[in-house]
Amino acid sequence: MRPFAYSRPSSMAEALLEARRSVAAEPSPSAAFLVGGTTLIDLMKLDVLRPETVIDLGALADEFGAIRQDGSALRLGAFAKMARAAADPAVAENYPVIAQSLALAASAQLRNMASLGGNVLQRTRCAYFRDPSWSACNKRAPGSGCAAVGGANRMHALLGTSRHCIATYPGDFAQALLALDASVTIIGPSGSRVIPFAELHRLPATTPHRETNLAPGDIIAEFIVPAAAWTRRSLYLKIRDRQSYEFAVASVAVALDLDGEVVREARIALGGLASVPWRAREAEAALEGRTITPGTALAAATAAFADAVPQSHNAFKITLGRSALQRALLEAASMEVRP
C-alpha cells in the first residue's frame, strides 16, 4: 500500500472543505472517502486505487445513518451499515427485496462494516481490473484496451457492454433500489441534489473509467424508496457458484403489483449479468395485464435477454438468467402478502 494523507472531519461542512481542497490540488488531485472501507482498503492494498488523501467520514455515521419510514417513503441513511438495514423489521416486512439483497451480500463480518452508500459504489470484481500486472484495462487505465474481451470472461457482463469494457457490476443492493424506483440524495461542493437511482451509474460506452455521474467531492447521503403497491410483493433471488459469501453469477430483483392474479405493474432489475444495475423494462412490459404463469414468465425472461451479447465463456448466462427471472416471477406471484 502506498503512503497517503488521512483526515477525519467532524462535520459534513468540514468533509466538503477537505474535498474542495483535493479537487483544487495540483497537478493531480486524488482523494477517496471512507466509511466502511471494505472495498477501498482492498483495492488500495492491490495497488489498483492510489488516493493521495483518504477522508474518513466515520464521525458522520450517526447523522447520516438513520433508517426511517413514514407513509410516503423509506429513507435509508447512506452511512447505515448493511447488516443493520437488513435486520430492520420495517424494511424486512415492507421492502423484503431490500432486506434480502443485503442479507445475501458478502459475509456477516463485511455486512457489519460496510455502508449502504459504499456498497452501491463498489468496483467491479473483474480480475483484469483488480490485477495491475494486466496493462489492458480501460476501467483502470483509459485507452489501454480490455483484456477480458477474448480473455477469461465467464463472470463478465452480457448486457450494457461495449467493446471497451465488459466488466460486470457486482453488487446486490443496487438492484433492489433500481427495481423500487429509489432516489438518491447527493451532497457535494456545489450543493445538494436528489436524482433517480437509475441515473447514478453510467454505461461503459467509450469511457468505462467513469462509472457514475457523481462529481468530484460528491457524497451519497440518503436513499429514498417510495412507498408503493409493489414493495411488499418483492423478492431478491441470487444464483452463485457457492451458497455463501460469493458474488452473483445471475440475480433478480422483482416487485409486483397484482390485481387478483393479473399484473398491474412489474418491476425487474438484473444483477451479475450487466455492466450496471440493469432494469429489464422489456420483461416488465411483457407482463403487464397478464397472469404470471410458467409460460408468461418465460416469455418475459426471454424478452429481458433479447439484446444480450455473450462472450467466449459466458453464453450460459443467458439460459441461467432466463431461468432465474422465470423462477423469481413465479415465486413473487405466489407470495402471501398482508394488506
Side-chain angles (χ1 to χ4, degrees):
M1 185 181 291
R2 298 170 184 255
F4 58 90
Y6 172 85
S7 69
R8 185 178 171 88
S10 59
S11 67
M12 181 61 77
E14 187 178 337
L16 294 176
L17 180 59
E18 291 277 358
R20 287 192 192 97
R21 289 172 181 161
S22 174
V23 170
E26 295 293 346
S28 55
S30 175
F33 292 117
L34 180 150
V35 180
T38 56
T39 293
L40 175 64
I41 302 303
D42 190 20
L43 293 177
M44 289 173 66
K45 288 180 177 179
L46 293 171
D47 205 30
V48 174
L49 296 184
R50 305 170 182 176
E52 296 171 5
T53 302
V54 172
I55 304 172
D56 185 348
L57 302 178
L60 311 183
D62 288 343
E63 182 179 359
F64 294 96
I67 298 175
R68 309 185 305 274
Q69 182 179 353
D70 56 31
S72 63
L74 170 69
R75 295 178 177 271
L76 300 168
F79 290 20
K81 301 303 184 184
M82 293 171 61
R84 185 163 72 88
D88 185 277
V91 175
E93 180 178 3
N94 300 317
Y95 300 84
V97 66
I98 291 179
Q100 293 164 11
S101 71
L102 292 169
L104 291 171
S107 66
Q109 295 93 330
L110 289 176
R111 293 196 300 270
N112 284 331
M113 292 180 61
S115 68
L116 299 181
N119 182 263
V120 301
L121 297 178
Q122 65 182 296
R123 310 296 297 274
T124 182
R125 308 302 293 189
C126 173
Y128 300 106
F129 168 76
R130 293 172 61 85
D131 185 352
S133 68
W134 289 96
S135 59
C137 176
N138 288 320
K139 193 177 285 292
R140 177 168 33 80
S144 63
C146 178
V149 175
N153 49 46
R154 175 182 180 271
M155 293 294 289
H156 285 67
L158 39 73
L159 294 166
T161 59
S162 75
R163 64 185 180 88
H164 301 281
C165 184
I166 59 171
T168 306
Y169 175 80
D172 298 289
F173 176 48
Q175 277 69 251
L177 294 174
L178 185 63
L180 298 183
D181 270 348
S183 299
V184 56
T185 301
I186 299 166
I187 301 174
S190 300
S192 177
R193 67 188 188 278
V194 178
I195 65 170
F197 183 79
E199 296 178 8
L200 179 62
H201 294 90
R202 294 168 55 101
L203 290 168
T206 60
T207 56
H209 61 290
R210 295 185 61 192
E211 296 181 341
T212 73
N213 287 311
L214 296 177
D218 278 351
I219 298 170
I220 294 178
E222 186 180 52
F223 301 102
I224 305 166
V225 187
W230 50 78
T231 62
R232 288 192 175 186
R233 188 179 295 278
S234 66
L235 61 82
Y236 187 71
L237 175 64
K238 183 173 183 178
I239 309 298
R240 43 194 171 177
D241 287 331
R242 60 186 183 193
Q243 279 299 97
S244 66
Y245 192 26
E246 185 60 276
F247 293 89
V249 182
S251 66
V252 184
V254 169
L256 299 175
D257 176 18
L258 300 182
D259 180 7
E261 296 184 350
V262 177
V263 177
R264 284 198 191 99
E265 194 163 357
R267 288 157 180 276
I268 302 166
L270 304 176
L273 299 159
S275 56
V276 296
W278 190 262
R279 186 79 177 262
R281 295 193 181 276
E282 295 82 3
E284 294 173 357
L287 289 168
E288 289 184 13
R290 307 189 72 181
T291 300
I292 294 181
T293 65
T296 58
L298 180 58
T302 300
F305 291 90
D307 295 327
V309 180
Q311 301 296 319
S312 52
H313 301 141
N314 71 351
F316 76 95
K317 281 192 169 188
I318 296 177
T319 302
L320 180 64
R322 287 173 182 160
S323 296
L325 178 49
Q326 181 187 31
R327 174 181 159 189
L329 287 168
L330 292 170
E331 289 184 7
S334 64
M335 289 175 64
E336 293 186 7
V337 178
R338 184 173 60 83

